Amino acid sequence: MPQSERVSLRFKFNWKISALTIFLLPVLVCLGFWQLQRAQEKRNLLAEYQQRWNAGPVDLDSIAELSLQNYRPVRLTGSFSQKKWFFLDNKIHGGRVGYEVLVPFYTVQGNWVLINRGWVPAPPRRDQLPEVRMPLGKITVSGRISLPTENIVLSDELVSGENWPKVIQTQDIQLINKLLGHTFVPALVHIDDADAAALAVDWKPVNISPAKHLGYAWQWFTMATVLAVLFFINSSNITEVLRCRLKTERKVV
């Protein structure tokens, strides 16, 4: 190749573009690895859920407080409160706004347990509450333990309503203890969808699947790769080098 046609690779850094790349590239890569970590966490949760579900249900009254485990299947025999229960606010089901129904359940062994019976749609007016029929008498309920989590709070008032049932913004067991004057087992029970006392039930151990997290990770890593390539193109004469090489190869042919 003649010396006059050779073009050497050179770099010409633009400090603004360089600073932007130095800032963004690690952020994009970190977000990708974070999504990979989240995917692994969700796989672990699903494995834990399946393992405990396969173990079969046990009587909740026989479980010590320190042995309460998320997703553990349980049975309870007792009766639902007929007058006092809660509507857990801000719950979406099938794209509709509504409530989840939290009902005190008094077991035959003398324990108070809060059972989430599932979802009901909200009436058209905010000052109205759904009509919910409560099973009567002594019954056996099956479900899964759910350790309380933070609920999205839409109001500074955690509990509203002068009469029962009341609208509540949180699943805080300590607050419910004070409101009802009982000491509840420090966990909820999510009722099984096949149980006769269940309302609309669609419990999921994870909201976002591991596959979705992997998809998000791929997107972040792709953006990081594109950014690195654009930085290299903008900060060098690589296009000129490639154009010259292509021109030379055509001459040779």
Side-chain angles (χ1 to χ4, degrees):
M1 180 185 296
Q3 184 69 27
S4 59
E5 295 185 5
R6 292 181 180 177
V7 178
S8 300
L9 183 64
R10 298 186 305 274
F11 289 92
K12 45 178 182 178
F13 294 105
N14 181 303
W15 72 269
K16 291 183 180 180
I17 295 178
S18 299
L20 183 64
T21 303
I22 291 172
F23 171 75
L24 282 181
L25 190 59
V27 171
L28 295 174
V29 172
C30 287
L31 286 171
F33 280 110
W34 177 67
Q35 288 295 338
L36 292 179
Q37 179 183 352
R38 295 291 290 158
Q40 185 58 48
E41 290 174 356
K42 296 301 176 62
R43 281 192 290 265
N44 293 341
L45 283 175
L46 288 172
E48 178 184 11
Y49 174 85
Q50 192 62 45
Q51 180 184 15
R52 290 175 180 167
W53 181 253
N54 292 338
V58 296
D59 195 315
L60 183 61
D61 283 319
S62 67
I63 300 177
E65 182 174 322
L66 294 178
S67 299
L68 292 172
Q69 297 174 318
N70 229 359
Y71 316 128
R72 187 169 187 174
V74 292
R75 290 185 303 264
L76 307 90
T77 299
S79 57
F80 283 107
S81 171
Q82 296 298 313
K83 295 182 179 180
K84 297 181 179 182
W85 69 85
F86 301 95
F87 288 108
L88 183 61
D89 203 2
N90 188 39
K91 293 298 177 181
I92 308 296
H93 180 78
R96 297 181 63 188
V97 177
Y99 306 93
E100 287 180 2
V101 180
L102 307 181
V103 188
F105 189 87
Y106 189 63
T107 72
V108 293
Q109 298 296 328
N111 292 316
W112 284 98
V113 183
L114 197 65
I115 294 184
N116 190 326
R117 291 185 59 200
W119 180 88
V120 290
R125 290 173 48 183
R126 183 66 180 174
D127 59 350
Q128 296 177 328
L129 291 176
E131 293 289 337
V132 177
R133 298 182 64 180
M134 206 61 60
L136 298 172
K138 186 172 73 173
I139 61 174
T140 297
V141 175
S142 61
R144 280 163 278 182
I145 291 176
S146 175
L147 301 180
T149 57
E150 291 295 327
N151 193 50
I152 297 175
V153 176
L154 297 181
S155 171
D156 293 335
E157 189 178 13
L158 293 180
V159 182
S160 58
E162 295 181 1
N163 303 314
W164 292 93
K166 297 182 182 294
V167 176
I168 194 167
Q169 302 286 330
T170 176
Q171 303 177 80
D172 186 350
I173 297 294
Q174 296 300 322
L175 174 61
I176 291 171
N177 286 342
K178 294 178 181 178
L179 290 171
L180 293 175
H182 303 302
T183 300
F184 282 78
V185 172
L188 283 80
V189 171
H190 279 180
I191 199 168
D192 285 343
D193 56 358
D195 195 281
L199 300 170
V201 172
D202 185 22
W203 310 126
K204 296 178 181 178
V206 295
N207 293 326
I208 302 178
S209 68
K212 279 193 174 182
H213 283 293
L214 292 177
Y216 295 148
W218 182 85
Q219 291 178 1
W220 290 121
F221 287 137
T222 300
M223 292 172 65
T225 302
V226 170
L227 178 62
V229 171
L230 291 176
F231 172 74
F232 181 69
I233 292 174
N234 187 268
S235 302
S236 69
N237 65 333
I238 184 64
T239 54
E240 184 181 355
V241 171
L242 293 176
R243 192 182 303 113
C244 180
R245 182 171 298 179
L246 180 62
K247 182 178 179 181
T248 303
E249 289 176 355
R250 287 177 178 174
K251 287 183 178 180
V252 171
V253 173

